[in-house]
């Protein structure tokens, strides 16, 4: 997802679905150690393999999915979060889970 610092009409600001799709979603991949070390430890899962989640929802997500959301570690977010873009296949899969209309 993108974050609160983006343009006002960014669809992510009223969505957040990809951040609540699955605990397997915000996993770490090829980030350098320095990037992972910068993420607050309380927001990293016990296996150190990805973001801590409450159920399917990433612990770094603030707000209400489908209404108003923001990533509280936007500048530090994992790579998988950076490559999900509004309207791509993963985005619309996540939006579907929450009954949100697909983006084109
Ligand atoms: S599901 Fe799509 S629109 Fe929603 S926050 Fe993620 S990238 Fe943005
Ligand atoms: S780190 Fe941020 S962008 Fe990534 S899943 Fe969590 S709340 Fe969403």
């Amino acid at each position: 997802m993108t974050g609160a610092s983006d343009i006002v009409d960014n669809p992510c600001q009223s969505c957040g679905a990809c951040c609540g799709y699955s605990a397997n979603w915000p996993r770490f991949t090829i980030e350098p150690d320095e990037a992972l070390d910068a993420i607050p430890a309380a927001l990293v899962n016990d296996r150190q393999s990805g973001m801590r989640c409450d159920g399917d929802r990433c612990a770094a997500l603030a707000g209400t999915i489908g209404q108003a959301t923001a990533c509280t570690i936007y500048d530090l977010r994992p790579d998988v979060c950076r490559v999900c873009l509004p309207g791509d296949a993963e985005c619309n899969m996540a939006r579907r889970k929450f009954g949100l209309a697909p983006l084109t």
Side-chain angles (χ1 to χ4, degrees), residues 1-2 10-12 15-19 84-87 91-92 94-95 103:
M1 70 173 289
T2 50
N10 187 314
C12 298
C15 180
C18 55
C19 311
C84 184
L85 297 175
C91 163
N92 282 330
R95 288 179 61 89
L103 300 176

Side-chain angles (χ1 to χ4, degrees), residues 40-99:
L43 295 177
V44 175
N45 68 20
D46 290 341
R47 289 188 297 145
Q48 309 283 301
S49 61
M51 298 299 295
R52 185 174 298 282
C53 289
D54 179 11
D56 289 330
R57 177 180 168 129
C58 177
L61 183 67
T64 302
I65 293 173
Q67 295 184 18
T69 57
C71 174
T72 59
I73 59 155
Y74 182 67
D75 291 338
L76 305 174
R77 69 202 190 286
D79 286 351
V80 67
C81 310
R82 299 172 189 266
V83 299
C84 184
L85 297 175
D88 72 12
E90 289 76 17
C91 163
N92 282 330
M93 183 174 65
R95 288 179 61 89
R96 196 175 306 123
K97 174 182 176 179
F98 291 96

